[in-house]
Amino acid sequence: MANKTGKAFDFRLFKRLLTYTNPYKKTFYFVAFTAILLSLLGVVNPYLTKVVINQSIVPKDASLLVNFIMLMLGALVLEVLTQFGFIYFANWLGQQVIRDIRVKLFAHMLQFKKQYYDQSAVGRLVTRAVSDIETIASIFSQGLFMIISDLLKMLVVVGFMLYQSWRLSLLVFLILPLIIYATRVFQKKMKVAFEEVRTQVSNLNTFVQERLTGMKIVQIFHREKVEYARFKAINEKHKNAWIKTVWYNSIFFPIAEMATSIAIGLVVWFGGLRVVAGEELNLGIIVMFIQLIQMLFRPLRQIADKFNTLQMGMVAANRVFAVLDTKAIIKDQGTLIAKNLQGDIEFKQVSFGYIPDELVLKGIDLKVKAGETVAIVGATGAGKSTIINLLSRFYEINDGSISIDGINIKDFQLRSLRNEIAVVLQDVFLFADTIENNITLENPKISLEDVIAAAKEIGVHDFINTLPGKYQYNVKERGTMLSSGQRQLIAFLRAYVSKPSILVLDEATSSVDSYSEQLIQEATDKITKGRTSIIIAHRLATVKKADKIIVMDAGKIVEIGTHQQLLQKEEGYYKSLYEVQFLEYDI
């Protein structure tokens, strides 16, 4: 992979990138062919210019002048058409490649463990999936083929120069090492500079995304000035990274221009003396060499510029491939399809930690019978939500086993397992879409009629009908157009219409109004009836109705029983928790 050592080019990374052109080989070869043709056509008009001067202008033959002008016009039209095909299909190829890479990247990211997202900045991942991949397109549209075309054109020009006049060619070649050396140094410096640019772009995207998402917190705690100052500092680093690239450009391009002018001056001086002295050199060759020098030196300057583009694309490709190479995927090696599960759940000596050597669950043994409603209670950090995450295989356990209906959950195909488990989280996430699409998640198997019928069953239909547009009401980003209680009801309905075998609820009623709380309780009673349900309980009513209560503390199960059984334990953990947290809600 490319790194920050200043290495000018990484051929292994480039070879890997080229594999994405395999489905478009015909276009790839066509673009390569037009690049070769452009290099050959480049010397046609300079040669015709020499012929026009020597055979028409100097002898003052007007009839030949018209013929040569028509030849030059034909060559120009052919070059323009070739240039059009080259530019269009090079860009077309680039867009096809980045479409394929972006689709592959997004599909890969969809399979990541939840732990990966816990540890990764969203803004940085957005940068990889959007702007970095757009930068990769420039490798094909402005980098790779442009460089090949320019190199071929330079080779043709050098050979043609030697064929026409080796003495004038040697004068030009005296200056050539200077600009080649300057170009090489420029490429290395720009590689490091562009690494820094991409890093600062990523940091800027991450900062802006997080602050816009958390703007409510920023304003509630009067952090506007502090965050503004931090943004200015990050933006300053971003500016400085770009200024460094401008600095290198400002040095290199004047040097390249000066080298071109010196080479032209030497040719005019030496060639002019030979013409005046009546030697074999003529005015046409001098004019032709002036054109050829510009054709030779201009690609060198352009190659440096295009190499910058190529390097930016390579840096972006390196970052994108780093995500593609990330092995943060839950292993889906199961062969069994989970369908119509009974819902018998068993945890055997399950241990798990989000961080190595820091266990959150410590040897958990738990059995839930089919159709049971089990409440899990405990202090914050006891491991309640972790049990939910492990059941759906959002994380891999360290030790032990988890089984459903006597089958290890690793033996089920991951997708089919999650289809049988519906989860309603405490923090409800809604997309910027309609109520209907947020409930069905655009599952073609769930019709609007199914949604309405389910909404009526759990008592949510009347609430949705009060919204403008009803089921077609757009809730906007993260469901901001709805209250927390309304978002919770939508989440309940989303779970209910999926007809899961196992239901997992992380109740959140502490911040909702009494009306929404009543609807949520009714919905809870309805959707848990007749199916295995695991509830992280925050409400006394739910705890009382549970068939079994699991009491957790510091990653261990400390008590199991019904509400009444646990209250009868003197100095019991649940009794203490009940008196401190739940008694105020008792009626």
Side-chain angles (χ1 to χ4, degrees):
M1 291 295 175
N3 49 43
K4 296 185 180 182
T5 62
K7 183 179 178 182
F9 198 74
D10 190 322
F11 284 98
R12 285 186 302 169
L13 180 64
F14 185 65
K15 185 178 179 181
R16 180 178 179 182
L17 190 61
L18 283 184
T19 60
Y20 287 89
T21 65
N22 289 340
Y24 315 103
K25 284 185 177 179
K26 289 183 180 179
T27 304
F28 183 88
Y29 292 140
F30 174 78
V31 174
F33 169 74
T34 55
I36 296 171
L37 185 58
L38 281 172
S39 66
L40 297 174
L41 291 173
V43 298
V44 172
N45 271 326
Y47 175 74
L48 289 175
T49 300
K50 183 198 81 167
V51 175
V52 166
I53 291 173
N54 291 339
Q55 296 184 22
S56 179
I57 294 178
V58 173
K60 299 181 180 179
D61 188 339
S63 61
L64 281 176
L65 179 63
V66 174
N67 292 334
F68 283 125
I69 293 298
M70 295 303 295
L71 279 174
M72 293 175 72
L73 181 62
L76 180 63
V77 170
L78 180 59
E79 188 174 4
V80 168
L81 291 175
T82 306
Q83 189 81 22
F84 166 78
F86 174 76
I87 293 173
Y88 176 81
F89 285 103
N91 279 275
W92 183 90
L93 181 61
Q95 290 303 316
Q96 298 299 319
V97 167
I98 67 167
R99 179 200 62 188
D100 294 347
I101 294 177
R102 183 177 282 128
V103 168
K104 184 176 181 179
L105 178 66
F106 188 72
H108 189 64
M109 290 166 65
L110 285 174
Q111 300 176 60
F112 281 156
K113 301 176 185 177
K114 194 170 179 290
Q115 191 168 6
Y116 178 83
Y117 293 104
D118 294 340
Q119 301 170 352
S120 303
V122 174
R124 188 167 283 107
L125 292 175
V126 171
T127 301
R128 300 293 174 269
V130 181
S131 61
D132 278 344
I133 288 186
E134 285 297 331
T135 305
I136 292 175
S138 63
I139 291 178
F140 299 94
S141 61
Q142 302 174 41
L144 170 66
F145 293 116
M146 289 290 188
I147 290 174
I148 291 174
S149 178
D150 286 342
L151 286 174
L152 288 173
K153 187 178 293 184
M154 289 171 61
L155 287 174
V156 171
V157 168
V158 166
F160 192 66
M161 277 182 166
L162 288 169
Y163 176 74
Q164 291 293 316
S165 172
W166 66 268
R167 289 189 295 177
L168 290 180
S169 298
L170 289 178
L171 285 174
V172 176
F173 298 161
L174 286 175
I175 307 300
L176 202 57
L178 171 64
I179 192 169
I180 290 176
Y181 175 75
T183 301
R184 181 66 175 171
V185 172
F186 179 66
Q187 290 168 355
K188 288 186 175 182
K189 295 292 185 182
M190 290 300 284
K191 172 70 186 324
V192 177
F194 279 131
E195 282 276 8
E196 179 64 18
V197 166
R198 297 311 305 168
T199 297
Q200 295 306 327
V201 167
S202 180
N203 291 341
L204 190 63
N205 284 346
T206 299
F207 183 88
V208 172
Q209 190 271 337
E210 286 183 345
R211 269 58 190 181
L212 291 179
T213 302
M215 186 58 69
K216 185 176 181 179
I217 299 300
V218 171
Q219 294 179 346
I220 286 174
F221 290 94
H222 310 293
R223 298 282 297 177
E224 293 92 341
K225 288 185 178 180
V226 174
E227 298 302 335
Y228 175 69
R230 292 183 65 187
F231 175 79
K232 285 182 65 177
I234 293 173
N235 198 38
E236 183 70 17
K237 290 181 180 179
H238 176 260
K239 181 206 71 176
N240 291 337
W242 274 108
I243 289 295
K244 189 176 289 186
T245 68
V246 173
W247 168 253
Y248 292 142
N249 277 292
S250 301
I251 294 174
F252 172 74
F253 285 103
I255 290 175
E257 194 64 38
M258 180 182 67
T260 303
S261 299
I262 291 173
I264 291 174
L266 287 173
V267 167
V268 171
W269 168 71
F270 181 81
L273 290 178
R274 302 286 81 76
V275 172
V276 171
E279 296 184 13
E280 76 280 3
L281 292 179
N282 53 61
L283 184 61
I285 287 182
I286 294 174
V287 173
M288 181 187 70
F289 259 78
I290 292 173
Q291 289 181 289
L292 291 176
I293 288 170
Q294 292 174 331
M295 289 180 61
L296 179 63
F297 282 60
R298 188 187 306 120
L300 270 175
R301 298 197 300 271
Q302 289 177 345
I303 283 175
D305 192 36
K306 297 299 184 293
F307 208 92
N308 294 342
T309 301
L310 181 61
Q311 285 182 326
M312 285 190 72
M314 294 295 285
V315 169
N318 185 44
R319 293 171 182 269
V320 170
F321 287 145
V323 178
L324 281 172
D325 292 338
T326 300
K327 304 299 183 183
I329 296 174
I330 296 288
K331 292 181 180 179
D332 188 9
Q333 298 175 340
T335 57
L336 302 177
I337 296 176
K339 191 172 183 180
N340 299 322
L341 299 175
Q342 296 299 311
D344 282 308
I345 301 170
E346 184 173 6
F347 283 61
K348 287 184 180 179
Q349 286 296 299
V350 173
S351 295
F352 170 77
Y354 295 100
I355 301 172
D357 303 323
E358 292 186 21
L359 294 180
V360 176
L361 297 183
K362 305 166 185 176
I364 293 292
D365 284 311
L366 171 64
K367 288 186 179 181
V368 180
K369 295 180 181 179
E372 270 191 334
T373 296
V374 175
I376 304 177
V377 300
T380 301
K384 305 185 298 294
S385 295
T386 302
I387 288 180
I388 292 175
N389 289 327
L390 296 181
L391 184 63
S392 297
R393 291 196 69 198
F394 291 129
Y395 300 87
E396 293 282 29
I397 60 177
N398 295 14
D399 293 300
S401 65
I402 303 173
S403 62
I404 300 177
D405 294 352
I407 301 172
N408 193 308
I409 59 173
K410 292 183 179 180
D411 294 333
F412 290 116
Q413 292 180 8
L414 187 59
R415 184 174 180 179
S416 70
L417 172 67
R418 291 178 178 170
N419 278 341
E420 291 297 302
I421 303 173
V423 181
V424 179
L425 297 173
Q426 183 173 350
D427 182 19
V428 177
F429 186 93
L430 298 181
F431 296 95
D433 207 333
T434 64
I435 293 281
E436 179 189 358
N437 288 340
N438 268 291
I439 294 169
T440 66
L441 297 178
E442 301 191 33
N443 184 343
K445 296 180 181 179
I446 304 175
S447 66
L448 178 58
E449 290 73 22
D450 294 332
V451 173
I452 293 174
K456 289 178 178 178
E457 286 180 31
I458 66 172
V460 183
H461 179 69
D462 292 339
F463 138 65
I464 295 176
N465 270 344
T466 63
L467 299 173
K470 301 177 182 179
Y471 287 88
Q472 304 310 313
Y473 179 64
N474 193 311
V475 300
K476 305 301 181 183
E477 187 176 1
R478 299 184 68 89
T480 54
M481 301 304 291
L482 302 177
S483 69
S484 58
Q486 290 172 331
R487 290 196 296 272
Q488 195 75 32
L489 289 168
I490 298 300
F492 272 72
L493 186 52
R494 177 195 287 169
Y496 189 60
V497 296
S498 67
K499 298 179 180 178
S501 300
I502 299 171
L503 184 67
V504 178
L505 301 178
D506 188 353
E507 286 190 316
T509 58
S510 58
S511 61
V512 302
D513 57 84
S514 58
Y515 175 70
S516 295
E517 184 175 353
Q518 182 182 353
L519 287 178
I520 289 172
Q521 182 56 48
E522 291 173 358
T524 301
D525 294 342
K526 183 66 179 179
I527 67 176
T528 57
K529 187 176 181 180
R531 61 168 53 89
T532 304
S533 303
I534 300 176
I535 304 173
I536 293 181
H538 300 284
R539 301 178 64 255
L540 178 61
T542 305
V543 176
K544 282 184 172 181
K545 292 179 181 179
D547 299 309
K548 183 163 51 181
I549 299 171
I550 309 295
V551 186
M552 296 191 65
D553 181 42
K556 295 181 178 180
I557 296 176
V558 293
E559 293 176 353
I560 299 178
T562 65
H563 175 68
Q564 293 300 328
Q565 288 171 346
L566 294 175
L567 283 182
Q568 291 172 7
K569 289 188 177 183
E570 292 297 330
E571 299 183 2
Y573 191 95
Y574 176 79
K575 184 177 181 180
S576 175
L577 192 67
Y578 165 74
E579 290 173 349
V580 173
Q581 296 184 19
F582 295 151
L583 193 56
E584 60 182 290
Y585 296 106
D586 206 354
I587 299 173

